[in-house]
Amino acid sequence: MIVTRTHIALLAAASVGAASAQTQSISVSIGDLSGPGFEARGLRLELAGDSLTRATLRIGELAALDHRWHDLAVRCNAFRLERSTVACDAGRIEQPVTLPVAFCYDLDAAAGSVTLSPAPGERWHAVLEPLPAGGSARTITLTLAGAQLARVQAVAPALPITLGAGAVDGVVRATRAASGRTEMRGELTVRNAAFSDASGLHAGDALAGRVAFNGAHAGAPGSAWRWDIDATWSEGEVFWDPVYTKAGYRLVAAGTYGGRTFEVGEATLAMQDIGEVRASASVDLATRAIVRARIETAELPVPPLYARFLKPLAANSALGELRTDGRLRASATVQAGRVTEATLDVDDLSVEDERQRFALFGVYAHAPWKEGARTEGRIGMSGAEVQRLPLGAVGATLDIGSEDVRADDFNIPVLSGLLQLRDLRVRRTDEGLAWQVSGALSPVPLPELLAHFGLPAMQGTIAGEIPRVRYERSTLTVDGALTIRVFDGTVTVTGLQLESPLGLAPRLRADLDARGLDLDLVTRTFAFGRMTGKIDAHIADLVLSDWRPVRFDARVASSPGDYPKRISQTAVNSITALGGGGAAQAIQETALRFFETFGYSKLGITCRLENGVCRMGGIEDRLGGYVLVAGGGVPAINVLGYNRDVGWEELVTRLKRVLDANVKATIQ
């Protein structure tokens, strides 16, 4: 405190002289004023009017709450100067904001008060308490009643968020001893607060809570503040892109703050319905870098953790619609801004896609990771489903490195077969996780497999070597060929690529080549009408979006070679319905209607799908159309098609109508 009785004596003498001499104004330099947590410099008091009852207090610089303001002005039309007391019962602050104010300062007691009453029911009251008898400690107390948070914005416009509403009640007390030791303590309650930012990506509404804090500084050069805090968020909701969450948090923490370092010795965040997270940290304030940190969770239930935090992050992927169960525990260590150790433990985790695309059951995992070293972990599950296809229990040992995870061999039961995977490698890239694997599939009967997808049974098995499968940049790629044995023939898939397999609209690309498929088995399976012989098929540039065809160039034709070739009336009708020809009518109008089957020399159909339209063709062009079946043997029949361009949806509808009709006919 630099203001002394000398100032007030001079000011009183000047006021008496001024009154006797009818002086209209006077200006007195007061000097500086300081207390715990604030400092005012360049104070000047200007008096005017009869008996000098109008006053203006100018403050060159005011420092408080880690902020500084310059050139403040306080005007008072009810100024009082009584012995050692300077008071204003009704004044207003004009800079940097306009606010009603009342103040009183007693130089004898070195004590005073300031009261701001910006609105009805709102009060900011600061008291600089008198020196205790025989003591030298100074105490200042700030009492808030209905203090509007929006007023903080006016004096701190650089805040990254806008405080739109809310009121604060509570008391903050600061004490400074002659030795320099300073102590602060306070308890504040927030009601109906709201905030937002310009981007709209961060906002809160109807917020309420309580915070109690303590701080102490020894006053010695180089010493640090010791602090602790107990904060509870009890009401309201917050959106902090991409996470939306509601109230139900309590933070208890303690640490130090000094120079350029902020230390959190211990902190516990309790999350309602979830559990606790414990942490400690050291932050370099100059660089805003984490020098060291340790984070560890208690055992957390997965369902509320997923709903509150993980689901918003995965909203635009297949992981955005899950039913979950199970528990997990995690920990991490940070040194010099880098994660150096981390561990994830998962127990009895179940994940089910609400659209029934996949499910995992009884997942367990222990995955310890350490920078610059390799560790051993484990992972497994009791079962799974992929598009309703059941998979059996699996377990594997993990070799975990700084940049990758490896698993040598593990087996997954698939119905009555076995999927044997080898050389699994998962690595971290700038775009995210990437992995690759190879393996083999032991024979799985196709009737058993297709029954799980609700598809007609086909004779044959699916088996063979699985070449290397790679996943990177949200794209799954199969190097080499996949081979399927079906209908006594072979189907080979090459160029297989699947984009965004976990997205809402996966996109598949592939080329398919089928050789020597038994037509009798094919047509009996799909109720197309009886046909004998063999066919080859080639589908180039196949593209599926969300598992629906958008482009391909397909050609189906009878296989070369000498073998029995017969086609039934039902099959002729089915082919005619697809191609738009008139063979069916020709049969009914001639003696051919008495024959159940006919001979043919070759058959074929083509379809080039693009922009939702199938450009159709056959073996060759003839009579303004195209040949689908060329006659041969006795009796023989030719089937022609005439519709060149058919909408894909229309073609699918025709095929479904044909199959449904043939099934009904068979039942009768």
Side-chain angles (χ1 to χ4, degrees):
M1 164 59 70
I2 300 176
V3 179
T4 67
R5 284 185 59 85
T6 303
H7 292 90
I8 199 68
L10 291 173
L11 185 58
S15 63
V16 172
S20 62
Q22 300 299 314
T23 303
Q24 297 301 310
S25 64
I26 191 171
S27 176
V28 178
S29 175
I30 298 177
D32 301 336
L33 181 66
S34 62
F38 83 96
E39 184 177 26
R41 295 180 177 275
L43 278 75
R44 173 175 292 276
L45 183 62
E46 299 173 354
L47 303 176
D50 295 340
S51 301
L52 301 177
T53 55
R54 295 198 311 273
T56 300
L57 176 65
R58 301 190 184 277
I59 305 173
E61 181 181 60
L62 175 65
L65 303 175
D66 289 331
H67 287 277
R68 290 184 179 273
W69 297 272
H70 297 85
D71 301 325
L72 281 76
V74 181
R75 297 189 184 277
C76 181
N77 293 326
F79 179 73
R80 293 186 291 112
L81 181 60
E82 300 172 350
R83 295 184 181 180
S84 64
T85 300
V86 178
C88 176
D89 298 326
R92 70 179 185 276
I93 299 174
E94 294 189 344
Q95 295 175 349
V97 292
T98 301
L99 291 173
V101 63
F103 64 85
C104 178
Y105 188 75
D106 187 331
L107 286 171
D108 279 344
S113 66
V114 177
T115 303
L116 300 177
S117 303
E122 181 180 5
R123 189 167 182 262
W124 303 58
H125 183 58
V127 176
L128 180 61
E129 299 179 6
L131 284 168
S136 58
R138 302 309 311 275
T139 299
I140 186 169
T141 302
L142 175 64
T143 302
L144 304 177
Q148 298 299 305
L149 281 173
R151 303 199 189 282
V152 177
Q153 203 79 44
V155 296
L159 286 175
I161 59 174
T162 299
L163 298 169
V168 181
D169 302 308
V171 177
V172 178
R173 184 184 301 271
T175 301
R176 177 185 291 171
S179 63
R181 178 177 176 80
T182 302
E183 296 182 356
M184 294 186 66
R185 66 180 59 249
E187 184 171 337
L188 302 174
T189 300
V190 179
R191 298 177 281 111
N192 198 33
F195 71 86
S196 62
D197 68 356
S199 68
L201 299 177
H202 308 94
D205 189 42
L207 306 175
R210 168 191 165 276
V211 57
F213 59 89
N214 296 286
H217 188 275
S223 60
W225 279 90
R226 302 190 64 83
W227 58 268
D228 64 76
I229 187 172
D230 184 347
T232 301
W233 174 24
S234 57
E235 297 179 23
E237 54 191 356
V238 167
F239 173 70
W240 199 273
D241 185 51
V243 175
Y244 166 82
T245 186
K246 293 185 177 181
Y249 295 82
R250 182 185 180 190
L251 174 65
V252 179
T256 61
Y257 164 66
R260 55 181 289 171
T261 303
F262 182 79
E263 297 272 354
V264 180
E266 55 180 344
T268 301
L269 177 65
M271 299 175 285
Q272 184 178 349
D273 301 328
I274 295 180
E276 291 185 350
V277 177
R278 296 176 293 274
S280 61
S282 176
V283 179
D284 187 327
L285 297 176
T287 61
R288 297 185 179 181
I290 298 176
V291 178
R292 60 168 180 81
R294 174 69 180 173
I295 303 172
E296 185 176 359
T297 74
E299 189 173 73
L300 306 179
V302 172
L305 187 67
Y306 169 77
R308 190 175 298 185
F309 299 109
L310 304 181
K311 185 173 183 176
L313 294 172
N316 295 322
S317 73
L319 301 180
E321 303 176 65
L322 302 180
R323 291 187 296 270
T324 61
D325 196 8
R327 301 170 300 279
L328 64 79
R329 182 188 297 269
S331 64
T333 299
V334 177
Q335 296 286 348
R338 301 191 322 276
V339 178
T340 57
E341 290 185 54
T343 301
L344 175 65
D345 288 289
V346 176
D347 184 28
D348 199 21
L349 172 67
S350 293
V351 174
E352 297 182 65
D353 176 39
E354 292 183 354
R355 294 169 61 180
Q356 298 184 336
R357 291 168 293 183
F358 61 89
L360 304 174
F361 306 107
V363 177
Y364 65 87
H366 172 63
W369 177 88
K370 189 172 183 179
E371 185 181 41
R374 301 202 73 86
T375 59
E376 183 177 295
R378 62 184 182 277
I379 190 170
M381 63 183 178
S382 61
E385 289 184 3
V386 178
Q387 297 290 353
R388 297 195 299 271
L389 175 67
L391 305 178
V394 61
T397 298
L398 302 177
D399 179 13
I400 303 172
S402 293
E403 300 293 334
D404 69 329
V405 177
R406 306 172 187 172
D408 291 334
D409 299 311
F410 57 99
N411 300 325
I412 303 176
V414 181
L415 299 177
S416 59
L418 196 65
L419 177 61
Q420 301 168 306
L421 298 180
R422 302 186 296 269
D423 301 324
L424 173 65
R425 298 290 184 270
V426 182
R427 57 188 174 85
R428 184 174 58 186
T429 69
D430 293 339
E431 292 80 18
L433 291 179
W435 55 265
Q436 65 180 53
V437 71
S438 59
L441 179 65
S442 64
V444 176
L446 273 175
E448 184 181 3
L449 177 64
L450 296 176
H452 284 279
F453 296 102
L455 297 175
M458 301 181 188
Q459 299 302 313
T461 61
I462 177 171
E465 283 290 317
I466 300 176
R468 187 175 65 162
V469 179
R470 297 179 289 112
Y471 178 82
E472 190 169 1
R473 297 179 182 177
S474 300
T475 300
L476 186 147
T477 303
V478 178
D479 297 338
L482 293 175
T483 302
I484 303 172
R485 294 285 302 174
V486 60
F487 297 131
D488 286 345
T490 302
V491 178
T492 303
V493 183
T494 57
L496 180 60
Q497 190 176 81
L498 180 59
E499 301 174 7
S500 302
L502 297 181
L504 298 180
R507 192 173 182 87
L508 182 143
R509 303 172 185 271
D511 295 315
L512 285 79
D513 192 68
R515 299 292 178 183
L517 303 185
D518 188 320
L519 262 177
D520 186 26
L521 295 177
V522 173
T523 54
R524 280 192 297 175
T525 297
F526 293 103
F528 193 76
R530 184 76 180 275
M531 299 174 68
T532 63
K534 293 182 179 297
I535 59 168
D536 298 336
H538 182 68
I539 304 177
D541 194 24
L542 171 65
V543 177
L544 306 181
S545 180
D546 197 19
W547 311 112
R548 296 172 62 86
V550 295
R551 186 174 70 242
F552 61 74
D553 188 356
R555 178 178 296 274
V556 179
S558 49
S559 306
D562 186 14
Y563 47 81
K565 302 172 183 177
R566 303 292 294 180
I567 181 171
S568 69
Q569 280 198 36
T570 302
V572 170
N573 294 340
S574 298
I575 294 175
T576 301
L578 294 180
Q585 182 178 357
I587 291 175
Q588 297 301 319
E589 293 176 352
T590 67
L592 292 176
R593 67 181 182 276
F594 298 110
F595 293 89
E596 292 186 2
T597 65
F598 307 94
Y600 71 91
S601 61
K602 56 183 178 179
L603 56 78
I605 188 171
T606 65
C607 170
R608 182 177 182 84
L609 176 65
E610 199 163 5
N611 297 324
V613 176
C614 186
R615 180 69 173 175
M616 300 185 67
I619 304 168
E620 60 185 39
D621 293 340
R622 184 186 299 176
L623 301 175
Y626 48 89
V627 178
L628 295 170
V629 179
V634 178
I637 189 171
N638 296 316
V639 180
L640 275 65
Y642 295 98
N643 293 343
R644 288 286 186 180
D645 296 318
V646 181
W648 174 252
E649 295 298 332
E650 169 62 21
L651 189 61
V652 171
T653 300
R654 289 184 189 180
L655 180 60
K656 185 176 185 301
R657 189 183 301 124
V658 165
L659 298 180
D660 289 345
N662 290 343
V663 169
K664 292 175 183 176
T666 302
I667 292 174
Q668 292 174 354

